[in-house]
Amino acid sequence: MLGAQPAKAHAYILAMFPYPSGSLHMGHARVYSLSDVLARFHRQSGRKVVHPIGWDAFGLPAENAAIERGLAPAAWTQSNIAHMRTQLAALGAAFDWHRELSTSDPAYFRWTQHLFLRLWRAGLVERREALVNWDPVDGTVLANEQVSPDGRAERSGARVELRRLAQWFFKITHYAEDLVGDLDALDWPDSVKQQQLNWIGLQHGVALDLAVAPHCEPAAAPARVEVFVPDAATSTERHGLCIAVGPEHPILASLQRRIAASVRINTDAWLDGGVARRASSHRLRDWLVSRQRSWGTPIPIVHCDSCGPVPVPEDQLPVTHTWTASSTHKAAPGDSDAAACACPKCNGAARRETDTMDTFVDSSWYWLRYLDPHNTSAMASPSCSAQLPTDVYIGGIEHAIMHLLYARFIAKFLAADGVVALERGEPFARLLAQGMVLGTAYRCPDTGKYLAPTDVDTSGEPRVVATGKRAIVSVEKMSKSKHNGVDPMPVFERHGVDATRLYLLYRAAPQDELVWDSAAIVGMERFLARVRTLVDGVCAAGSGGSIASSPPAESGTASSATLAKAMADAREQVTAAMTRFGFPVAVASLIKLSHALADCPPHHAQTRRAVDLLLRLLHPFAPVVTLELAGRLAGAPVTTEQLAWPSAADAAFEVAVQICVVQINGKKAAVMEDVPAVIAHDHAAIQAHVLASPVVAQLLADPATGAQLAPRRVVVAKTGKLVNIVV
């Protein structure tokens, strides 16, 4: 086998788990192809790889779909998972299926509830009345991050309303400075880091403890309020400053003011008067985790008239809801339709909390559970810390603020609480934020409504079938609502899974957007056909046996020198691509190597070595066909681990000969490709080899007499790759 096996080490390759919406699209195919490439590379390099998969299964889409179909959301979700599991298998991705998890499984969300109680015990959970974002379509509260800048719900598109409700919050603001300070240590794209910095909005300045009264009611008793003034701010008046009070601030009730309100503060001094202190502030707000839906992780709290909110005892977890078609509903704000229960503290009458948790809580810690998915006594064993943080985390840049920020917060808390040993409490050491896959979308010019492909005539200029009018054509992110998604399964059946993967990996750098064009996949089909032809030729030549027992590469020929260089270049470029995520460059170098092999004699051992090398380097990108062809070459089935990644010191890359340019009186006259590499630094030997060559003898023949012209001087360049003969 090519390549020495390095000492065993761990590699944790994690791609963001999918929402079981019903079927995968090409965006999924791209992200899981990326993770599979890296996982297979590390397995070939001799590392013990964790490459898990699971399902972000709770949430509004499944609940709404179940309502429409009169089904229980659990049944709908499970049927989707079964279908998508089949699609992932067809992708050829080597996932650790024994680690599979689903956030809607009680065996999982029992520990999400345990996480809630840990935060509660640490004083990081609070229930308070707050002015919240209410989505009137989905009937639930939204976090600030889920509201677009124009005031619409990110998912439903509804105009968000402000309502005052009692809600549950996680105190993420307690970790604001750590969330900012530790970003520098992460190997993440600068754009993602900047988005988090902007969202947290950490500022330094002065905090003032002030007496405040409305300027329109000078006789009213003043209230106390702490005001933060950033260092960049200036005051135009020595004894007066206007401040704006947010509509949710409790001071408004005491001042009997209506809601974005303006009050005038009065102070005689700032820092030197003792009413001000140096302080920090941030625009980040505590994480609102309450959701008024049934298909989510139930909040493990009961409400007792005597004791107030009481946590559910650990031995009573998981707290579950009865999810049936009839009970699936959009809860109204303030709905107290909770099951009666006994208070765990006083045994008196109590009510279960009806709110469920934001699904971002479910996904904030799944990276840990993957390492110990069947543990029934803890979130994960302490020994799992040895495999953290993840080596590479792969997902869309659209998760830069919410998911990634929340997961960092929870990881820092779990590290501080002793659940996991994690440097700086950071779960994801390196982030690959892949670009979206875009597809062609069509809209009706009259209504702006997105049209299904069957509603558009694309035989010429795209036109709406119903009206004959020209359709509005755009290239947008693939989604069901825009009818521009591409089902991977028909593409796999038509072009093959390996050709499709190669297209996704070659068409654009992983960080860039990829505009889908199925017609371009045929180029990858031709490449794979060429690889198959090469293997056919070597196998037909009858040089059976393992590579390790093959004779040394032939030397002294032009083809062996060129091929040896192509092999070395391919190994170097593909290996570098694995660490830099330069997959288009890697595929291009493999295509180049296949061309270099085109004219090589299939019976030569060097050719066989090169074909073997090509299959090893190609395997992460096209696993199905390479396992088949490598098995034919070896005469027995092979695994990913057996296709060891070639090292730089591998004997297959010893160049037996080198190229030397020959000049006559300073002008290029010939290129010799048979200079033995062993004399590369022996200038006298190079000179003798060049002058003894029949090609050079012909160049030095007198055109009139045929007699040899005696060289006056021979100059060999320091590199040994250029010889100038002066005659």
Side-chain angles (χ1 to χ4, degrees):
M1 292 292 179
L2 284 180
Q5 290 282 356
K8 289 289 184 181
H10 292 288
Y12 188 176
I13 309 300
L14 179 60
M16 294 181 185
F17 58 178
Y19 182 81
S21 59
S23 61
L24 297 179
H25 53 66
M26 279 301 168
H28 294 112
R30 188 185 195 193
V31 68
Y32 298 125
S33 292
L34 290 170
S35 71
D36 194 54
V37 165
L38 293 172
R40 289 180 184 273
F41 163 70
H42 285 289
R43 285 192 175 113
Q44 288 179 264
S45 300
R47 299 182 181 92
K48 185 177 180 181
V49 175
V50 175
H51 184 218
I53 191 66
W55 311 96
D56 191 9
F58 274 138
L60 284 170
E63 185 169 339
N64 289 339
I67 292 171
E68 294 169 4
R69 293 164 175 80
L71 300 172
W76 170 252
T77 299
Q78 287 304 317
S79 66
N80 290 346
I81 287 175
H83 177 61
M84 294 173 71
R85 191 184 289 123
T86 301
Q87 289 184 303
L88 284 176
L91 181 62
F95 289 118
D96 300 338
W97 286 104
H98 66 283
R99 300 181 186 273
E100 183 184 13
L101 57 80
S102 171
T103 59
S104 63
D105 183 348
Y108 181 88
F109 71 72
R110 176 255 186 274
W111 296 107
T112 305
Q113 292 173 338
H114 170 82
L115 171 61
F116 182 100
L117 296 180
R118 276 187 173 272
L119 289 160
W120 169 280
R121 290 191 289 268
L124 293 173
V125 177
E126 182 180 23
R127 187 174 189 257
R128 63 176 183 263
E129 194 174 80
L131 198 67
V132 298
N133 304 307
W134 180 257
D135 183 336
V137 172
D138 282 331
T140 191
V141 165
L142 304 176
N144 289 336
E145 295 89 337
Q146 293 169 305
V147 180
S148 65
D150 64 352
R152 293 188 177 275
E154 187 179 69
R155 203 200 76 82
S156 71
R159 180 69 66 182
V160 172
E161 302 172 2
L162 293 180
R163 294 191 181 184
R164 192 171 292 278
L165 298 173
Q167 300 288 285
W168 291 99
F169 292 86
F170 287 171
K171 297 180 181 179
I172 189 175
T173 52
H174 286 214
Y175 282 80
E177 295 206 20
D178 288 342
L179 289 169
V180 169
D182 292 337
L183 276 173
D184 286 341
L186 301 179
D187 186 4
W188 286 19
D190 289 338
S191 60
V192 176
K193 291 184 181 181
Q194 192 60 51
Q195 285 188 62
Q196 292 212 359
L197 287 172
N198 293 344
W199 188 257
I200 297 170
L202 185 65
Q203 300 181 90
H204 300 287
V206 171
L208 304 172
D209 184 21
L210 302 171
V212 182
H215 63 269
C216 58
E217 301 176 34
R224 306 299 299 184
V225 64
E226 184 175 274
V227 178
F228 177 79
V229 181
D231 287 336
T234 58
S235 174
T236 56
E237 302 179 41
R238 178 172 175 77
H239 301 295
L241 179 69
C242 286
I243 62 171
V245 180
E248 73 280 5
H249 201 288
I251 196 174
L252 292 180
S254 65
L255 296 177
Q256 297 181 340
R257 298 283 292 160
R258 301 180 66 83
I259 291 177
S262 179
V263 296
R264 183 169 296 278
I265 64 172
N266 297 296
T267 180
D268 293 325
W270 288 49
L271 290 168
D272 56 352
V275 296
R277 58 183 174 80
R278 296 298 301 173
S280 298
S281 183
H282 40 73
R283 68 183 296 268
L284 179 69
R285 295 294 176 259
D286 284 335
W287 178 8
L288 192 161
V289 298
S290 292
R291 294 295 181 270
Q292 289 67 43
R293 304 295 300 216
S294 66
W295 187 238
T297 299
I299 293 177
I301 294 288
V302 299
H303 297 279
C304 175
D305 291 338
S306 300
C307 306
V310 180
V312 174
E314 291 277 350
D315 61 4
Q316 294 181 21
L317 299 181
V319 176
T320 62
H321 285 167
T322 303
W323 291 301
T324 65
S326 59
S327 68
T328 303
H329 66 283
K330 299 179 183 179
D335 186 0
S336 59
D337 180 21
C341 65
C343 173
K345 190 173 183 180
C346 70
N347 206 35
R351 309 176 313 279
R352 289 201 182 279
E353 172 63 68
T354 56
D355 283 359
T356 55
M357 291 186 225
D358 181 5
T359 55
F360 282 115
V361 181
D362 305 321
S363 60
S364 68
W365 72 282
Y366 78 117
W367 47 270
L368 175 60
R369 187 64 177 177
Y370 271 143
L371 299 176
D372 200 3
H374 307 298
N375 194 324
T376 59
S377 60
M379 298 176 76
S381 168
S383 63
C384 294
S385 298
Q387 300 179 69
L388 290 169
T390 63
D391 293 270
V392 183
Y393 192 36
I394 307 169
I397 197 170
E398 64 269 22
H399 299 292
I401 294 175
M402 289 184 286
H403 165 61
L404 289 172
L405 187 63
Y406 295 151
R408 292 182 64 217
F409 159 57
I410 293 300
K412 288 181 180 299
F413 165 71
L414 291 175
D417 210 37
V419 176
V420 63
L422 197 57
E423 185 178 1
R424 294 189 177 91
E426 291 291 347
F428 314 125
R430 194 176 187 194
L431 177 69
L432 172 53
Q434 101 280 353
M436 296 182 291
V437 178
L438 308 181
T440 303
Y442 303 98
R443 284 183 294 143
C444 174
D446 298 325
T447 65
K449 180 182 177 181
Y450 286 96
L451 301 171
T454 54
D455 297 329
V456 182
D457 180 3
T458 57
S459 58
E461 186 178 47
R463 293 184 177 274
V464 181
V465 172
T467 64
K469 294 183 178 180
R470 284 187 297 180
I472 300 172
V473 183
S474 57
V475 176
E476 304 182 37
K477 177 184 177 181
M478 288 185 177
S479 71
K480 284 187 175 181
S481 62
K482 297 174 182 176
H483 304 288
N484 68 336
V486 175
D487 185 347
M489 299 302 281
V491 180
F492 294 164
E493 292 169 4
R494 180 177 180 182
H495 301 284
V497 63
D498 288 317
T500 305
R501 285 173 55 127
L502 281 166
Y503 168 81
L504 290 168
L505 296 162
Y506 176 70
R507 185 75 172 179
Q511 302 89 339
D512 297 338
E513 292 180 339
L514 186 154
V515 180
W516 179 256
D517 179 9
S518 58
I521 303 178
V522 294
M524 295 298 109
E525 289 185 87
R526 287 194 292 266
F527 166 48
L528 292 177
R530 187 160 56 249
V531 173
R532 184 176 292 277
T533 299
L534 291 170
V535 174
D536 289 342
V538 170
C539 291
S543 53
S546 67
I547 284 299
S549 64
S550 297
E554 293 79 2
S555 62
T557 65
S559 62
S560 64
T562 303
L563 183 56
K565 185 178 186 308
M567 292 169 66
D569 288 347
R571 193 215 67 86
E572 180 180 357
Q573 291 166 6
V574 178
T575 303
M578 293 300 182
T579 57
R580 302 170 187 166
F581 308 141
F583 303 131
V585 174
V587 176
S589 68
L590 293 172
I591 294 173
K592 183 177 180 180
L593 177 58
S594 73
H595 285 300
L597 276 161
D599 297 325
C600 294
H603 62 280
H604 281 186
Q606 180 77 341
T607 303
R608 182 180 173 86
R609 284 180 177 273
V611 171
D612 181 84
L613 170 73
L614 175 60
L615 294 179
R616 294 173 189 275
L617 297 180
L618 179 59
H619 175 67
F621 303 91
V624 179
V625 69
T626 49
L627 284 177
E628 175 207 338
L629 297 179
R632 287 181 56 198
L633 206 61
V638 297
T639 65
T640 295
E641 290 76 9
Q642 289 173 317
L643 293 178
W645 196 260
S647 68
D650 196 286
F653 304 115
E654 292 180 0
V655 181
V657 293
Q658 74 173 26
I659 297 173
C660 182
V661 176
V662 179
Q663 295 179 338
I664 303 294
N665 292 335
K667 294 184 178 180
K668 181 178 178 180
V671 176
M672 295 183 63
E673 297 181 325
D674 63 348
V675 178
V678 294
I679 64 171
H681 302 291
D682 186 340
H683 288 189
I686 292 175
Q687 176 177 327
H689 183 85
V690 168
L691 293 177
S693 167
V695 174
V696 173
Q698 186 176 355
L699 291 172
L700 295 179
D702 187 314
T705 64
Q708 290 285 302
L709 300 174
R712 294 176 53 193
R713 188 160 55 101
V714 179
V715 180
V716 181
K718 186 176 182 180
T719 61
K721 295 182 179 181
L722 185 146
V723 175
N724 182 33
I725 302 172
V726 181
V727 296

